[in-house]
Amino acid sequence: MLDKRQFYIDGQWVAPQASHDFDVIDPSTEEVCAVISLGDEADTNTAVAAARQAFDSWSQTSKAERLVLLEKLQTIYNERADEMARAISTEMGAPIALASTSQCGAGSSHIKNLIRALKGYEFDQPLGDHAPDNRILHEAIGVCALITPWNWPMNQVTLKVVAALAAGCTMVLKPSEIAPLSSLLFAEMIDQAGFPAGVFNLVNGDGLGVGSQLSGHPEVDMVSFTGSTRAGIAITKNAADTVKRVALELGGKGANIVFADADEKAVMRGVRHCFNNSGQSCNAPTRMLVERSLYEQAVAIAAETANKTAVNTASLEGHHIGPVVSQMQYDKIQGLIEQGINEGGRLVAGGLGKPEGLEKGYYVRPTVFADIHNQMTIAREEVFGPVLVLIPFDTEEEAISIANDSPYGLTHYVQSQDSEKANRVARKLRAGMVQINGTFLGAGSPFGGYKQSGNGREGGVWGLEDFLEVKAVSGWN
Ligand code: NAD
């Protein structure tokens, strides 16, 4: 078992000021794999003070100076990728192949894309020819609190930390207490890259402790948060008294609209996508809306794909799905499956309980419900497990209306070989992202949601601008 009871503050590894031990559980085995400390208010204050102290000089560094350090960080991150993949796989249960490719890889590509965004960014711009003595200056917002979840740990940490560093901000990172090991390793990399003391600080803690202390802290200028809508609301309220900027990346209930003219792999692709990372992705396509003429065939394909989805331990090589992250998450998913059955959903694959032979570990059976209507709990709430619902529709308008009938609006998906129709539908979907026919959003594309999915945009230029203030100056010569 690893002893990780330390924080990274003001360029040093330091012991916590009080002792609040917290066990990190390996979800594949239910065993304790590490112990961390949950910070106290004194730890939070020390970290914020270090970030405040470092801000004046870091915010005045040139783009070129920041790029040198970010490029060093990129090299170190790539050199230590195997360690990072193992940390992620152990703390949150992603199978090692997924942890090495998508999970760890997401961090690597965000670092690369944010470096590219920084290189091309003009912090100092003219207003226009009509006002030649006016300049618009983009400046670092200040000390940032970065609060991240456990489901794609390095994806979220790099989107925040690297963007904030690139913008010239200083920061305190509070990673998820459930999956803190990857962030502790990331802090080692920052240290190794040689960022000045106080620019980046890490304090472990839970939401009610360090999380709330940061969101209400008078010396914190901005909170960038990724996690549940529940916590996003609490943070926004707590930040209101000090009028902080609050950037939120919250939950989702992605609709995947499959028209009758979709390509033949569309249904299978949609099911696999939903189950990827054991369904623990905010942008998972969890509601498959299928045009009536294709519906029964889609139900059969979805059931077959679910039955063929292997579930196994995270340390095993291969393309199975791993456990879900915790007992709490497992119980929540079981409760929602039960509710789906009780509300009249037709269970066509999976269901309650653990897959055969996997009694220890938080393993969930890949589950598909047919004949769901959009008002059922299982169609409205984010399950965050390998659970897909299928909903039939008759017309394009009805499909759009069902997709948009959700408090969330993160990512929706459209499957059709009629590109005019697919584009038309994409325009009408109330979501921050739409992916057509299994395509991927390009490097540096903005990630974020409409409605209760949040208000920020992360990645690329938009991610950088999240951490910048805008200053208008007249009389500039
Ligand atoms: P969570 O909201 O419980 O926790 C996320 C982080 O917030 C953790 O670090 C936690 O300690 C902290 N936290 C919790 N309550 C807090 C409070 N009151 N004040 C300050 N900090 C607080 O979420 P989770 O269970 O870790 O993650 C799963 C959720 O994250 C899902 O709802 C998922 O959809 C969402 N998510 C969204 C995105 C996105 O970009 N839109 C990406 C990944 C995950």
Side-chain angles (χ1 to χ4, degrees):
M1 190 186 58
L2 299 167
D3 185 345
K4 294 282 181 184
R5 288 177 291 186
Q6 50 181 3
F7 305 139
Y8 185 74
I9 298 177
D10 210 9
Q12 297 184 50
W13 290 98
V14 296
Q17 301 195 28
S19 155
H20 303 290
D21 289 359
F22 183 85
D23 290 340
V24 182
I25 309 286
D26 177 343
S28 293
T29 60
E30 300 185 32
E31 268 153 31
V32 178
C33 59
V35 59
I36 60 163
S37 267
L38 301 181
D40 220 48
E41 188 141 22
D43 300 302
T44 306
N45 289 341
T46 314
V48 172
R52 175 56 61 200
Q53 171 84 27
F55 180 72
D56 282 352
S57 55
W58 179 248
S59 60
Q60 297 307 312
T61 51
S62 68
K63 193 159 107 169
E65 285 169 297
R66 297 201 293 282
L67 277 168
V68 169
L69 290 168
L70 288 169
E71 281 169 349
K72 266 194 202 161
L73 176 66
Q74 180 181 31
T75 306
I76 295 164
Y77 186 93
N78 292 336
E79 279 170 1
R80 300 184 72 179
D82 287 347
E83 271 174 271
M84 182 56 83
R86 279 196 301 276
I88 295 172
S89 180
T90 307
E91 69 188 1
M92 57 71 67
I96 192 66
L98 180 78
S100 307
T101 53
S102 308
Q103 285 274 8
C104 179
S108 175
S109 68
H110 293 320
I111 299 174
K112 184 171 151 198
N113 295 328
L114 283 160
I115 286 175
R116 183 196 298 140
L118 176 59
K119 279 184 178 160
Y121 196 75
E122 290 299 335
F123 286 85
D124 175 349
Q125 297 166 11
L127 178 62
D129 292 345
H130 66 288
D133 71 338
N134 274 233
R135 300 297 286 181
I136 304 298
L137 311 182
H138 295 82
E139 300 181 336
I141 189 167
V143 174
C144 301
L146 312 177
I147 303 179
T148 55
W150 46 262
N151 59 333
W152 286 90
M154 268 309 110
N155 174 58
Q156 288 123 357
V157 165
T158 53
L159 278 172
K160 295 187 194 309
V161 173
V162 178
L165 288 170
C169 293
T170 58
M171 66 211 71
V172 180
L173 168 67
K174 190 211 82 62
S176 167
E177 63 276 30
I178 297 170
L181 305 182
S182 51
S183 287
L184 286 162
L185 179 58
F186 189 74
E188 281 181 32
M189 297 178 184
I190 295 259
D191 186 59
Q192 210 179 328
F195 284 88
V199 169
F200 169 91
N201 305 275
L202 179 149
V203 180
N204 278 316
D206 58 15
L208 290 179
V210 177
S212 305
Q213 289 151 18
L214 285 171
S215 63
H217 205 294
E219 289 293 329
V220 169
D221 300 290
M222 170 177 174
V223 184
S224 175
F225 170 75
T226 300
S228 61
T229 299
R230 171 201 62 77
I233 293 168
I235 287 169
T236 307
K237 287 182 177 167
N238 202 33
D241 287 340
T242 44
V243 199
K244 291 180 186 12
R245 182 181 299 174
V246 179
L248 302 172
E249 304 292 344
L250 309 175
K253 193 73 193 174
N256 182 6
I257 304 177
V258 184
F259 286 101
D261 62 0
D263 67 278
E264 59 176 16
K265 296 210 169 108
V267 173
M268 186 178 71
R269 189 170 63 231
V271 180
R272 287 190 179 158
H273 189 171
C274 173
F275 292 166
N276 186 39
N277 205 37
S278 304
Q280 303 169 117
S281 303
C282 46
N283 59 352
T286 50
R287 293 180 294 154
M288 188 181 282
L289 318 186
V290 187
E291 193 161 359
R292 185 91 53 190
S293 58
L294 184 68
Y295 182 68
E296 280 310 329
Q297 198 187 331
V299 170
I301 296 171
E304 192 193 342
T305 309
N307 289 331
K308 281 190 183 156
T309 302
V311 185
N312 217 322
T313 182
S315 56
L316 199 73
E317 285 290 348
H319 293 287
H320 53 283
I321 63 168
V324 297
V325 77
S326 62
Q327 182 71 50
M328 200 172 90
Q329 201 65 23
Y330 177 84
D331 292 342
K332 181 187 156 205
I333 296 164
Q334 295 297 307
L336 282 163
I337 295 176
E338 196 167 5
Q339 207 160 345
I341 297 169
N342 294 343
E343 288 181 13
R346 173 160 58 110
L347 191 64
V348 295
L352 290 166
K354 293 191 178 177
E356 228 182 280
L358 291 171
E359 292 316 314
K360 195 121 197 250
Y362 311 121
Y363 299 97
V364 174
R365 299 169 68 197
T367 295
V368 178
F369 279 104
D371 303 352
I372 294 295
H373 65 72
N374 204 45
Q375 299 313 313
M376 289 180 179
T377 314
I378 198 102
R380 301 208 77 73
E381 282 192 20
E382 194 178 41
V383 179
F384 240 52
V387 179
L388 174 72
V389 303
L390 278 89
I391 303 174
F393 71 84
D394 291 302
T395 64
E396 186 179 316
E397 291 66 37
E398 189 190 5
I400 294 165
S401 144
I402 298 172
N404 286 338
D405 178 16
S406 167
Y408 296 113
L410 190 59
T411 318
H412 291 322
Y413 301 82
V414 184
Q415 319 296 329
S416 167
Q417 294 186 74
D418 174 347
S419 52
E420 216 170 284
K421 176 165 68 179
N423 294 350
R424 185 168 67 230
V425 172
R427 279 190 189 281
K428 291 188 180 161
L429 292 172
R430 301 279 303 155
M433 295 164 284
V434 178
Q435 292 176 232
I436 300 172
N437 293 331
T439 51
F440 296 101
L441 297 168
S445 172
F447 189 102
Y450 284 19
K451 304 194 272 183
Q452 290 187 25
S453 289
N455 56 17
R457 290 294 180 276
E458 295 197 302
V461 172
W462 294 268
L464 190 60
E465 287 188 334
D466 250 13
F467 290 95
L468 294 173
E469 283 283 20
V470 180
K471 180 187 281 175
V473 183
S474 65
W476 185 277
N477 277 303

